[in-house]
Amino acid sequence: MNTDPIKPFGTLELIRQISESESLTEEAVIELATYLNEREAARQTWPGNMLFDFFVNVYEDGNVRLYELEALALIIQAIMIHTDGMAAEAVELEPEAIDEELADPDVILVPALGVLDEQGYNAVPGCPEMYFETMQCDCLDWQTARRKLPPNSPGRFCKHLCRALSRHLELLPKSATHLGTVVDWAGKFNRALPPLPIWRVAIQGASPVIAAWGAGYSCEIYAPGESGVLDGFSYNLRESQWSSGKRPKNTHDPKLRAFLAERVAEFSGRTLLGTSK
């Protein structure tokens, strides 16, 4: 471990450099994570203490997903707002597009979960304050990346909400089976669900394929991996390819290919109209 003295604002200087760049890259994330990993003092002081827990979860699976980059960008934006008192321009989602997707019968919605609050299941030792009735959490991830998502979008599930619900999935109605599937997966690995507004069953069946996307270029896919066990995958709509070379078992399924082609076409249309960066 690096025990050299650090400047009081060393972490902020790195964050400011990242915030001033044109885009957040995996290389920049690794540089910041390495800085915190090697300096205990930086991890124990603000804002390093907020970021380090995020990095631990990001690197559990050995790669950085697109939605994790997008979530980190929002967290960095929040830190700079707190520091400088100003916000950078944000990409807004189009409500009309979201409403259209939510009307789809295959869309996955969060049911009323106030019963978890009533029974005290929202109070988890070591976790921030959270409420299932309003689907919110006091953690930085929720406050920066999820609070503006539709109230019934699974994208509002930070890792704390996932962890709490995954222990009481029997309280979900039968209509929320697919939600239970992804929350159970996230809870086992202490992960959050991607902060994306639209969630849908892309392929029905015994081994369904679940997808999540929004205004960005990341489409997250939950499907069986090569071993046949459910896993998470990321498809880059800008490049029309799987991220990090990791693919689901049914990559060549015509239904999945058609579904991804539709998402690519939507993303290309938004880009041409100037509604996505």
PDB file of all heavy atoms in Angstrom, residues 46-76:
ATOM      1  N   TRP A  46     -13.834  12.405   2.403  1.00  0.00           N
ATOM      2  CA  TRP A  46     -14.706  12.781   1.285  1.00  0.00           C
ATOM      3  C   TRP A  46     -13.863  13.405   0.170  1.00  0.00           C
ATOM      4  O   TRP A  46     -12.936  14.157   0.442  1.00  0.00           O
ATOM      5  CB  TRP A  46     -15.739  13.802   1.770  1.00  0.00           C
ATOM      6  CG  TRP A  46     -16.779  14.114   0.740  1.00  0.00           C
ATOM      7  CD1 TRP A  46     -17.945  13.478   0.535  1.00  0.00           C
ATOM      8  CD2 TRP A  46     -16.715  15.155  -0.243  1.00  0.00           C
ATOM      9  NE1 TRP A  46     -18.628  14.037  -0.503  1.00  0.00           N
ATOM     10  CE2 TRP A  46     -17.892  15.073  -1.015  1.00  0.00           C
ATOM     11  CE3 TRP A  46     -15.763  16.142  -0.556  1.00  0.00           C
ATOM     12  CZ2 TRP A  46     -18.153  15.926  -2.067  1.00  0.00           C
ATOM     13  CZ3 TRP A  46     -16.016  16.997  -1.615  1.00  0.00           C
ATOM     14  CH2 TRP A  46     -17.215  16.888  -2.355  1.00  0.00           C
ATOM     15  N   PRO A  47     -14.176  13.082  -1.119  1.00  0.00           N
ATOM     16  CA  PRO A  47     -15.245  12.209  -1.616  1.00  0.00           C
ATOM     17  C   PRO A  47     -14.806  10.771  -1.862  1.00  0.00           C
ATOM     18  O   PRO A  47     -15.568   9.976  -2.358  1.00  0.00           O
ATOM     19  CB  PRO A  47     -15.631  12.882  -2.924  1.00  0.00           C
ATOM     20  CG  PRO A  47     -14.314  13.389  -3.441  1.00  0.00           C
ATOM     21  CD  PRO A  47     -13.548  13.853  -2.217  1.00  0.00           C
ATOM     22  N   GLY A  48     -13.536  10.466  -1.518  1.00  0.00           N
ATOM     23  CA  GLY A  48     -13.048   9.113  -1.739  1.00  0.00           C
ATOM     24  C   GLY A  48     -13.843   8.059  -1.015  1.00  0.00           C
ATOM     25  O   GLY A  48     -14.051   6.946  -1.530  1.00  0.00           O
ATOM     26  N   ASN A  49     -14.332   8.383   0.194  1.00  0.00           N
ATOM     27  CA  ASN A  49     -15.106   7.408   0.960  1.00  0.00           C
ATOM     28  C   ASN A  49     -16.434   7.087   0.291  1.00  0.00           C
ATOM     29  O   ASN A  49     -17.016   6.028   0.507  1.00  0.00           O
ATOM     30  CB  ASN A  49     -15.319   7.885   2.397  1.00  0.00           C
ATOM     31  CG  ASN A  49     -15.995   9.247   2.464  1.00  0.00           C
ATOM     32  OD1 ASN A  49     -16.190   9.917   1.449  1.00  0.00           O
ATOM     33  ND2 ASN A  49     -16.348   9.665   3.665  1.00  0.00           N
ATOM     34  N   MET A  50     -16.953   7.998  -0.534  1.00  0.00           N
ATOM     35  CA  MET A  50     -18.193   7.737  -1.269  1.00  0.00           C
ATOM     36  C   MET A  50     -17.932   6.885  -2.510  1.00  0.00           C
ATOM     37  O   MET A  50     -18.759   6.073  -2.901  1.00  0.00           O
ATOM     38  CB  MET A  50     -18.842   9.053  -1.692  1.00  0.00           C
ATOM     39  CG  MET A  50     -19.382   9.868  -0.542  1.00  0.00           C
ATOM     40  SD  MET A  50     -20.259  11.320  -1.152  1.00  0.00           S
ATOM     41  CE  MET A  50     -20.944  11.963   0.373  1.00  0.00           C
ATOM     42  N   LEU A  51     -16.775   7.094  -3.120  1.00  0.00           N
ATOM     43  CA  LEU A  51     -16.478   6.434  -4.383  1.00  0.00           C
ATOM     44  C   LEU A  51     -15.936   5.023  -4.212  1.00  0.00           C
ATOM     45  O   LEU A  51     -16.173   4.159  -5.055  1.00  0.00           O
ATOM     46  CB  LEU A  51     -15.464   7.264  -5.175  1.00  0.00           C
ATOM     47  CG  LEU A  51     -15.972   8.579  -5.756  1.00  0.00           C
ATOM     48  CD1 LEU A  51     -14.805   9.417  -6.240  1.00  0.00           C
ATOM     49  CD2 LEU A  51     -16.942   8.313  -6.891  1.00  0.00           C
ATOM     50  N   PHE A  52     -15.197   4.775  -3.137  1.00  0.00           N
ATOM     51  CA  PHE A  52     -14.500   3.500  -3.024  1.00  0.00           C
ATOM     52  C   PHE A  52     -15.468   2.323  -2.970  1.00  0.00           C
ATOM     53  O   PHE A  52     -15.236   1.292  -3.597  1.00  0.00           O
ATOM     54  CB  PHE A  52     -13.589   3.494  -1.789  1.00  0.00           C
ATOM     55  CG  PHE A  52     -12.662   2.303  -1.760  1.00  0.00           C
ATOM     56  CD1 PHE A  52     -11.657   2.168  -2.706  1.00  0.00           C
ATOM     57  CD2 PHE A  52     -12.820   1.308  -0.800  1.00  0.00           C
ATOM     58  CE1 PHE A  52     -10.809   1.066  -2.694  1.00  0.00           C
ATOM     59  CE2 PHE A  52     -11.973   0.210  -0.792  1.00  0.00           C
ATOM     60  CZ  PHE A  52     -10.961   0.095  -1.738  1.00  0.00           C
ATOM     61  N   ASP A  53     -16.560   2.466  -2.221  1.00  0.00           N
ATOM     62  CA  ASP A  53     -17.543   1.390  -2.141  1.00  0.00           C
ATOM     63  C   ASP A  53     -18.130   1.094  -3.515  1.00  0.00           C
ATOM     64  O   ASP A  53     -18.384  -0.052  -3.870  1.00  0.00           O
ATOM     65  CB  ASP A  53     -18.655   1.769  -1.162  1.00  0.00           C
ATOM     66  CG  ASP A  53     -19.611   0.618  -0.911  1.00  0.00           C
ATOM     67  OD1 ASP A  53     -19.141  -0.463  -0.558  1.00  0.00           O
ATOM     68  OD2 ASP A  53     -20.828   0.802  -1.082  1.00  0.00           O
ATOM     69  N   PHE A  54     -18.326   2.159  -4.310  1.00  0.00           N
ATOM     70  CA  PHE A  54     -18.829   1.989  -5.675  1.00  0.00           C
ATOM     71  C   PHE A  54     -17.832   1.170  -6.500  1.00  0.00           C
ATOM     72  O   PHE A  54     -18.202   0.231  -7.196  1.00  0.00           O
ATOM     73  CB  PHE A  54     -19.040   3.357  -6.315  1.00  0.00           C
ATOM     74  CG  PHE A  54     -19.448   3.312  -7.768  1.00  0.00           C
ATOM     75  CD1 PHE A  54     -20.784   3.170  -8.130  1.00  0.00           C
ATOM     76  CD2 PHE A  54     -18.500   3.383  -8.774  1.00  0.00           C
ATOM     77  CE1 PHE A  54     -21.159   3.120  -9.462  1.00  0.00           C
ATOM     78  CE2 PHE A  54     -18.870   3.344 -10.112  1.00  0.00           C
ATOM     79  CZ  PHE A  54     -20.210   3.198 -10.451  1.00  0.00           C
ATOM     80  N   PHE A  55     -16.526   1.502  -6.386  1.00  0.00           N
ATOM     81  CA  PHE A  55     -15.503   0.809  -7.162  1.00  0.00           C
ATOM     82  C   PHE A  55     -15.397  -0.662  -6.771  1.00  0.00           C
ATOM     83  O   PHE A  55     -15.178  -1.521  -7.626  1.00  0.00           O
ATOM     84  CB  PHE A  55     -14.145   1.490  -6.979  1.00  0.00           C
ATOM     85  CG  PHE A  55     -14.024   2.794  -7.708  1.00  0.00           C
ATOM     86  CD1 PHE A  55     -13.509   3.909  -7.073  1.00  0.00           C
ATOM     87  CD2 PHE A  55     -14.416   2.917  -9.024  1.00  0.00           C
ATOM     88  CE1 PHE A  55     -13.391   5.124  -7.735  1.00  0.00           C
ATOM     89  CE2 PHE A  55     -14.311   4.120  -9.697  1.00  0.00           C
ATOM     90  CZ  PHE A  55     -13.798   5.227  -9.054  1.00  0.00           C
ATOM     91  N   VAL A  56     -15.543  -0.960  -5.491  1.00  0.00           N
ATOM     92  CA  VAL A  56     -15.464  -2.345  -5.042  1.00  0.00           C
ATOM     93  C   VAL A  56     -16.504  -3.189  -5.753  1.00  0.00           C
ATOM     94  O   VAL A  56     -16.229  -4.284  -6.245  1.00  0.00           O
ATOM     95  CB  VAL A  56     -15.659  -2.440  -3.516  1.00  0.00           C
ATOM     96  CG1 VAL A  56     -15.869  -3.889  -3.088  1.00  0.00           C
ATOM     97  CG2 VAL A  56     -14.450  -1.861  -2.791  1.00  0.00           C
ATOM     98  N   ASN A  57     -17.705  -2.671  -5.870  1.00  0.00           N
ATOM     99  CA  ASN A  57     -18.782  -3.410  -6.537  1.00  0.00           C
ATOM    100  C   ASN A  57     -18.602  -3.464  -8.041  1.00  0.00           C
ATOM    101  O   ASN A  57     -18.902  -4.456  -8.682  1.00  0.00           O
ATOM    102  CB  ASN A  57     -20.138  -2.770  -6.188  1.00  0.00           C
ATOM    103  CG  ASN A  57     -20.561  -3.074  -4.764  1.00  0.00           C
ATOM    104  OD1 ASN A  57     -21.052  -4.149  -4.483  1.00  0.00           O
ATOM    105  ND2 ASN A  57     -20.334  -2.144  -3.868  1.00  0.00           N
ATOM    106  N   VAL A  58     -18.074  -2.386  -8.629  1.00  0.00           N
ATOM    107  CA  VAL A  58     -17.857  -2.355 -10.067  1.00  0.00           C
ATOM    108  C   VAL A  58     -16.854  -3.417 -10.493  1.00  0.00           C
ATOM    109  O   VAL A  58     -17.028  -4.110 -11.497  1.00  0.00           O
ATOM    110  CB  VAL A  58     -17.357  -0.964 -10.515  1.00  0.00           C
ATOM    111  CG1 VAL A  58     -16.778  -1.014 -11.920  1.00  0.00           C
ATOM    112  CG2 VAL A  58     -18.510   0.033 -10.468  1.00  0.00           C
ATOM    113  N   TYR A  59     -15.786  -3.585  -9.705  1.00  0.00           N
ATOM    114  CA  TYR A  59     -14.712  -4.482 -10.104  1.00  0.00           C
ATOM    115  C   TYR A  59     -14.864  -5.910  -9.602  1.00  0.00           C
ATOM    116  O   TYR A  59     -13.986  -6.729  -9.798  1.00  0.00           O
ATOM    117  CB  TYR A  59     -13.365  -3.903  -9.657  1.00  0.00           C
ATOM    118  CG  TYR A  59     -12.955  -2.717 -10.497  1.00  0.00           C
ATOM    119  CD1 TYR A  59     -13.037  -1.427  -9.998  1.00  0.00           C
ATOM    120  CD2 TYR A  59     -12.528  -2.892 -11.802  1.00  0.00           C
ATOM    121  CE1 TYR A  59     -12.693  -0.333 -10.769  1.00  0.00           C
ATOM    122  CE2 TYR A  59     -12.183  -1.808 -12.586  1.00  0.00           C
ATOM    123  CZ  TYR A  59     -12.263  -0.537 -12.065  1.00  0.00           C
ATOM    124  OH  TYR A  59     -11.932   0.540 -12.848  1.00  0.00           O
ATOM    125  N   GLU A  60     -16.008  -6.213  -8.972  1.00  0.00           N
ATOM    126  CA  GLU A  60     -16.235  -7.581  -8.509  1.00  0.00           C
ATOM    127  C   GLU A  60     -16.208  -8.577  -9.661  1.00  0.00           C
ATOM    128  O   GLU A  60     -15.704  -9.682  -9.526  1.00  0.00           O
ATOM    129  CB  GLU A  60     -17.582  -7.669  -7.789  1.00  0.00           C
ATOM    130  CG  GLU A  60     -17.507  -7.254  -6.331  1.00  0.00           C
ATOM    131  CD  GLU A  60     -18.843  -7.425  -5.621  1.00  0.00           C
ATOM    132  OE1 GLU A  60     -19.866  -7.553  -6.326  1.00  0.00           O
ATOM    133  OE2 GLU A  60     -18.860  -7.426  -4.390  1.00  0.00           O
ATOM    134  N   ASP A  61     -16.754  -8.175 -10.813  1.00  0.00           N
ATOM    135  CA  ASP A  61     -16.814  -9.101 -11.941  1.00  0.00           C
ATOM    136  C   ASP A  61     -15.688  -8.876 -12.940  1.00  0.00           C
ATOM    137  O   ASP A  61     -15.669  -9.463 -14.018  1.00  0.00           O
ATOM    138  CB  ASP A  61     -18.174  -9.015 -12.641  1.00  0.00           C
ATOM    139  CG  ASP A  61     -18.468  -7.609 -13.154  1.00  0.00           C
ATOM    140  OD1 ASP A  61     -17.623  -6.713 -12.966  1.00  0.00           O
ATOM    141  OD2 ASP A  61     -19.541  -7.422 -13.747  1.00  0.00           O
ATOM    142  N   GLY A  62     -14.731  -8.013 -12.620  1.00  0.00           N
ATOM    143  CA  GLY A  62     -13.540  -7.862 -13.456  1.00  0.00           C
ATOM    144  C   GLY A  62     -13.694  -6.982 -14.674  1.00  0.00           C
ATOM    145  O   GLY A  62     -12.780  -6.907 -15.493  1.00  0.00           O
ATOM    146  N   ASN A  63     -14.828  -6.306 -14.842  1.00  0.00           N
ATOM    147  CA  ASN A  63     -14.962  -5.394 -15.984  1.00  0.00           C
ATOM    148  C   ASN A  63     -15.914  -4.256 -15.616  1.00  0.00           C
ATOM    149  O   ASN A  63     -16.656  -4.340 -14.647  1.00  0.00           O
ATOM    150  CB  ASN A  63     -15.470  -6.138 -17.235  1.00  0.00           C
ATOM    151  CG  ASN A  63     -16.853  -6.718 -17.041  1.00  0.00           C
ATOM    152  OD1 ASN A  63     -17.838  -5.994 -17.116  1.00  0.00           O
ATOM    153  ND2 ASN A  63     -16.937  -8.022 -16.793  1.00  0.00           N
ATOM    154  N   VAL A  64     -15.845  -3.188 -16.407  1.00  0.00           N
ATOM    155  CA  VAL A  64     -16.691  -2.021 -16.188  1.00  0.00           C
ATOM    156  C   VAL A  64     -17.780  -2.002 -17.245  1.00  0.00           C
ATOM    157  O   VAL A  64     -17.507  -1.940 -18.436  1.00  0.00           O
ATOM    158  CB  VAL A  64     -15.879  -0.705 -16.277  1.00  0.00           C
ATOM    159  CG1 VAL A  64     -16.766   0.492 -15.965  1.00  0.00           C
ATOM    160  CG2 VAL A  64     -14.700  -0.747 -15.317  1.00  0.00           C
ATOM    161  N   ARG A  65     -19.031  -2.061 -16.823  1.00  0.00           N
ATOM    162  CA  ARG A  65     -20.154  -2.055 -17.766  1.00  0.00           C
ATOM    163  C   ARG A  65     -20.509  -0.627 -18.159  1.00  0.00           C
ATOM    164  O   ARG A  65     -20.196   0.329 -17.453  1.00  0.00           O
ATOM    165  CB  ARG A  65     -21.365  -2.740 -17.128  1.00  0.00           C
ATOM    166  CG  ARG A  65     -21.118  -4.195 -16.759  1.00  0.00           C
ATOM    167  CD  ARG A  65     -22.306  -4.762 -15.995  1.00  0.00           C
ATOM    168  NE  ARG A  65     -22.041  -6.115 -15.554  1.00  0.00           N
ATOM    169  CZ  ARG A  65     -22.242  -7.201 -16.299  1.00  0.00           C
ATOM    170  NH1 ARG A  65     -22.728  -7.068 -17.523  1.00  0.00           N
ATOM    171  NH2 ARG A  65     -21.966  -8.404 -15.846  1.00  0.00           N
ATOM    172  N   LEU A  66     -21.187  -0.515 -19.273  1.00  0.00           N
ATOM    173  CA  LEU A  66     -21.557   0.806 -19.767  1.00  0.00           C
ATOM    174  C   LEU A  66     -22.432   1.550 -18.774  1.00  0.00           C
ATOM    175  O   LEU A  66     -22.240   2.737 -18.521  1.00  0.00           O
ATOM    176  CB  LEU A  66     -22.287   0.670 -21.111  1.00  0.00           C
ATOM    177  CG  LEU A  66     -21.454   0.170 -22.293  1.00  0.00           C
ATOM    178  CD1 LEU A  66     -22.351   0.002 -23.512  1.00  0.00           C
ATOM    179  CD2 LEU A  66     -20.320   1.108 -22.597  1.00  0.00           C
ATOM    180  N   TYR A  67     -23.425   0.866 -18.190  1.00  0.00           N
ATOM    181  CA  TYR A  67     -24.314   1.560 -17.260  1.00  0.00           C
ATOM    182  C   TYR A  67     -23.558   1.984 -16.003  1.00  0.00           C
ATOM    183  O   TYR A  67     -23.924   2.970 -15.357  1.00  0.00           O
ATOM    184  CB  TYR A  67     -25.528   0.705 -16.908  1.00  0.00           C
ATOM    185  CG  TYR A  67     -25.293  -0.442 -15.966  1.00  0.00           C
ATOM    186  CD1 TYR A  67     -25.225  -0.231 -14.585  1.00  0.00           C
ATOM    187  CD2 TYR A  67     -25.160  -1.741 -16.432  1.00  0.00           C
ATOM    188  CE1 TYR A  67     -25.029  -1.286 -13.709  1.00  0.00           C
ATOM    189  CE2 TYR A  67     -24.961  -2.799 -15.558  1.00  0.00           C
ATOM    190  CZ  TYR A  67     -24.899  -2.567 -14.206  1.00  0.00           C
ATOM    191  OH  TYR A  67     -24.706  -3.614 -13.347  1.00  0.00           O
ATOM    192  N   GLU A  68     -22.483   1.253 -15.652  1.00  0.00           N
ATOM    193  CA  GLU A  68     -21.680   1.642 -14.491  1.00  0.00           C
ATOM    194  C   GLU A  68     -20.893   2.912 -14.784  1.00  0.00           C
ATOM    195  O   GLU A  68     -20.733   3.776 -13.910  1.00  0.00           O
ATOM    196  CB  GLU A  68     -20.756   0.496 -14.090  1.00  0.00           C
ATOM    197  CG  GLU A  68     -21.519  -0.683 -13.488  1.00  0.00           C
ATOM    198  CD  GLU A  68     -20.685  -1.925 -13.301  1.00  0.00           C
ATOM    199  OE1 GLU A  68     -19.686  -2.088 -14.032  1.00  0.00           O
ATOM    200  OE2 GLU A  68     -21.030  -2.743 -12.433  1.00  0.00           O
ATOM    201  N   LEU A  69     -20.406   3.038 -16.023  1.00  0.00           N
ATOM    202  CA  LEU A  69     -19.745   4.287 -16.413  1.00  0.00           C
ATOM    203  C   LEU A  69     -20.731   5.445 -16.349  1.00  0.00           C
ATOM    204  O   LEU A  69     -20.403   6.540 -15.871  1.00  0.00           O
ATOM    205  CB  LEU A  69     -19.173   4.159 -17.829  1.00  0.00           C
ATOM    206  CG  LEU A  69     -17.880   3.354 -17.993  1.00  0.00           C
ATOM    207  CD1 LEU A  69     -17.506   3.263 -19.465  1.00  0.00           C
ATOM    208  CD2 LEU A  69     -16.735   3.969 -17.202  1.00  0.00           C
ATOM    209  N   GLU A  70     -21.950   5.204 -16.843  1.00  0.00           N
ATOM    210  CA  GLU A  70     -22.958   6.266 -16.846  1.00  0.00           C
ATOM    211  C   GLU A  70     -23.354   6.658 -15.420  1.00  0.00           C
ATOM    212  O   GLU A  70     -23.529   7.840 -15.109  1.00  0.00           O
ATOM    213  CB  GLU A  70     -24.185   5.802 -17.645  1.00  0.00           C
ATOM    214  CG  GLU A  70     -23.880   5.611 -19.133  1.00  0.00           C
ATOM    215  CD  GLU A  70     -24.997   4.904 -19.881  1.00  0.00           C
ATOM    216  OE1 GLU A  70     -25.935   4.418 -19.222  1.00  0.00           O
ATOM    217  OE2 GLU A  70     -24.920   4.817 -21.115  1.00  0.00           O
ATOM    218  N   ALA A  71     -23.482   5.654 -14.535  1.00  0.00           N
ATOM    219  CA  ALA A  71     -23.828   5.943 -13.148  1.00  0.00           C
ATOM    220  C   ALA A  71     -22.705   6.707 -12.452  1.00  0.00           C
ATOM    221  O   ALA A  71     -22.946   7.657 -11.704  1.00  0.00           O
ATOM    222  CB  ALA A  71     -24.123   4.640 -12.399  1.00  0.00           C
ATOM    223  N   LEU A  72     -21.447   6.303 -12.716  1.00  0.00           N
ATOM    224  CA  LEU A  72     -20.313   6.991 -12.110  1.00  0.00           C
ATOM    225  C   LEU A  72     -20.233   8.431 -12.601  1.00  0.00           C
ATOM    226  O   LEU A  72     -19.875   9.341 -11.835  1.00  0.00           O
ATOM    227  CB  LEU A  72     -19.014   6.255 -12.422  1.00  0.00           C
ATOM    228  CG  LEU A  72     -17.737   6.874 -11.835  1.00  0.00           C
ATOM    229  CD1 LEU A  72     -17.838   6.975 -10.317  1.00  0.00           C
ATOM    230  CD2 LEU A  72     -16.513   6.065 -12.234  1.00  0.00           C
ATOM    231  N   ALA A  73     -20.567   8.653 -13.872  1.00  0.00           N
ATOM    232  CA  ALA A  73     -20.553  10.020 -14.407  1.00  0.00           C
ATOM    233  C   ALA A  73     -21.526  10.909 -13.637  1.00  0.00           C
ATOM    234  O   ALA A  73     -21.232  12.075 -13.347  1.00  0.00           O
ATOM    235  CB  ALA A  73     -20.911  10.005 -15.897  1.00  0.00           C
ATOM    236  N   LEU A  74     -22.692  10.357 -13.275  1.00  0.00           N
ATOM    237  CA  LEU A  74     -23.672  11.124 -12.499  1.00  0.00           C
ATOM    238  C   LEU A  74     -23.174  11.385 -11.081  1.00  0.00           C
ATOM    239  O   LEU A  74     -23.392  12.466 -10.522  1.00  0.00           O
ATOM    240  CB  LEU A  74     -25.007  10.376 -12.460  1.00  0.00           C
ATOM    241  CG  LEU A  74     -25.782  10.314 -13.779  1.00  0.00           C
ATOM    242  CD1 LEU A  74     -26.988   9.397 -13.641  1.00  0.00           C
ATOM    243  CD2 LEU A  74     -26.221  11.702 -14.208  1.00  0.00           C
ATOM    244  N   ILE A  75     -22.492  10.396 -10.492  1.00  0.00           N
ATOM    245  CA  ILE A  75     -21.944  10.575  -9.150  1.00  0.00           C
ATOM    246  C   ILE A  75     -20.872  11.657  -9.161  1.00  0.00           C
ATOM    247  O   ILE A  75     -20.823  12.523  -8.275  1.00  0.00           O
ATOM    248  CB  ILE A  75     -21.374   9.244  -8.623  1.00  0.00           C
ATOM    249  CG1 ILE A  75     -22.510   8.238  -8.403  1.00  0.00           C
ATOM    250  CG2 ILE A  75     -20.606   9.457  -7.324  1.00  0.00           C
ATOM    251  CD1 ILE A  75     -22.033   6.851  -8.029  1.00  0.00           C
ATOM    252  N   ILE A  76     -20.012  11.625 -10.178  1.00  0.00           N
ATOM    253  CA  ILE A  76     -18.964  12.644 -10.298  1.00  0.00           C
ATOM    254  C   ILE A  76     -19.591  14.021 -10.487  1.00  0.00           C
ATOM    255  O   ILE A  76     -19.138  15.017  -9.919  1.00  0.00           O
ATOM    256  CB  ILE A  76     -18.023  12.294 -11.467  1.00  0.00           C
ATOM    257  CG1 ILE A  76     -17.149  11.098 -11.073  1.00  0.00           C
ATOM    258  CG2 ILE A  76     -17.154  13.488 -11.855  1.00  0.00           C
ATOM    259  CD1 ILE A  76     -16.251  10.597 -12.178  1.00  0.00           C
TER     260      ILE A  76
END
